Amino acid sequence: MLHFKTIIEPFRIKSVEAVKFTHREDRVKALAEAGYNLFRLHAEDVLIDLLTDSGTGAMSAAQWGAIMQGDESYAGSRSFYRFRDVVQDLTGYRHIIPTHQGRAAERILFHSVLEEGDVVPNNNHFDTTRANVEVEEAEARDLVIPEGRVPSEIHPFKGNMDLAALERTLERDGGRVPLVMVTVTNNTGGGQPVSLENLRGVRKLCDRYRKPFFLDACRFAENAYFIKTREEGQAGRTPKEIAREMFSLADGCTMSAKKDGLANIGGFLALNDDAWAERCRNLLILTEGFPTYGGLAGYDLEAVARGLEEVVEEPYLRYRIRSTEYLHERLVAAGVPVIQPAGGHAVYIDARALLAHVPPLQYPGIALANALYVEAGIRSVEIGTVMFGRQPDGTEKAPAMDLVRLAIPRRVYTQSHIDYVADRLRGYRITEGPAVLRHFTALFEPLPA
Ligand code: F0G
């Protein structure tokens, strides 16, 4: 195999979609009309859309080809068996239940197994996961390692679960814990990975306290690649081998195929326990559909099956992780405070540090994200006080961090798009100016890359 210094996109582009260029005045108007909420914009008014990496990826020609092979039979469709075989080959779980996306898998699992007053430990719950726990009147308890709560702290596996804290929870509240979850990679905490060693530690505790262990596996492949490159003794294994071991340490998973399924829609719940699976399937039929399609078209099942095969390919993962890291490096070089180190799917700006004059309850993340849109047409998302600050009792409390996430859709933007984003986050230098009262007459230029 050839090795070059520059990591190029491991694909050619066969089909393109135009982006719309807008003027600053248009964006000021669009944002006001959207009530200053970037989610409420017309996506067309966005130039570079880094709102999410979920369902926004580009599918491969092989996936589009597979879509044409979709079998739309209501029950027992060939596409279901293809999907089931791929998911089973990867995860090893006995029951494979398709759902229309990740949160449907979460709702079905939690509604089937949680009772009022229960506690679900996780490294960090994502917003939909937390909401699906809380709607069952249960507590979503975040137990990420202390390093995971400090943006500037560097740690190779900042998504790890705090095993001592998990043990305390199991010791004190074990009777109220129906399952333990770990999110790979830890989206809320900065797209940070969890090590195999840590997953083994969680497994051990779950065995000791007889608790089922589930992965929130949305970004399992990115996590596997971080393990390959950062964990001792893992460099010689393929991402798929590592992913299989990650799944083998748990008893089941929820999955949004909109991320590492490389599909625009889809997800699944996979688990070993027969009794839980039956309960979940019954609820699935009530709200999602028959167990061989779970709210998806046959062609969606084909797209996910093929996507799960492509996502563990090493050239893809190398490019994916490197391109996120590239944006991160450029922002660090420009002095932007970002979560260290780069995450798998996104770069997270520490808005609380950047806008230190804006108190958390005045939403520094919203202020920054909105400014990025107005100035550069870039859409990002606040992950902070607006997303997580509201307490179950209706009061408001600042969470550990106020972040703005720049999430990178998979296989969509090229390096020049990313350079544009980095360029817009740079400062300026003075090229010409007098020694006194320079602000009147100086000439500026944007800082070079
Ligand atoms: N778990 C995690 C860790 C997620 O990041 C998401 C979605 C879900 C579960 C729910 O999956 O969207 O298919 O229902 N995260 C997206 C994001 C929306 O922008 O990070 P879903």
Side-chain angles (χ1 to χ4, degrees), residues 93 180-182 184 199 213-217 246-247 250 252-254:
Y93 301 134
V180 173
M181 278 195 103
V182 170
V184 291
L199 293 174
F213 170 23
F214 275 65
L215 292 178
D216 176 339
M246 288 164 50
F247 286 114
C253 70
T254 55

Side-chain angles (χ1 to χ4, degrees), residues 379-429:
R379 179 155 70 167
S380 54
V381 71
E382 188 248 25
I383 299 201
T385 305
V386 172
M387 193 179 274
F388 293 113
R390 195 176 185 280
Q391 305 301 300
D393 67 4
T395 60
E396 218 176 3
K397 193 177 119 207
M401 301 186 272
D402 270 295
L403 306 172
V404 166
R405 184 186 72 175
L406 305 172
I408 322 266
R410 293 170 180 77
R411 310 190 286 204
V412 169
Y413 293 116
T414 61
Q415 183 169 346
S416 55
H417 291 113
I418 296 299
D419 280 333
Y420 168 87
V421 173
D423 287 346
R424 291 307 172 278
L425 280 156
R426 284 204 321 262
Y428 284 76
R429 73 171 172 207

Side-chain angles (χ1 to χ4, degrees), residues 51-54 100-104 106 124 126-129 183-188 216 218-219 254-259 266 345 381 383 405 407:
L51 182 72
T52 180
D53 64 321
S54 181
H100 78 273
Q101 62 184 80
R103 69 197 67 182
E106 291 161 11
N124 279 121
F126 190 63
D127 60 352
T128 59
T129 328
T183 306
V184 291
T185 58
N186 182 14
N187 187 7
T188 303
D216 176 339
C218 299
R219 300 177 181 86
T254 55
M255 171 74 187
S256 168
K258 301 173 74 172
K259 285 89 171 171
H345 66 295
V381 71
I383 299 201
R405 184 186 72 175

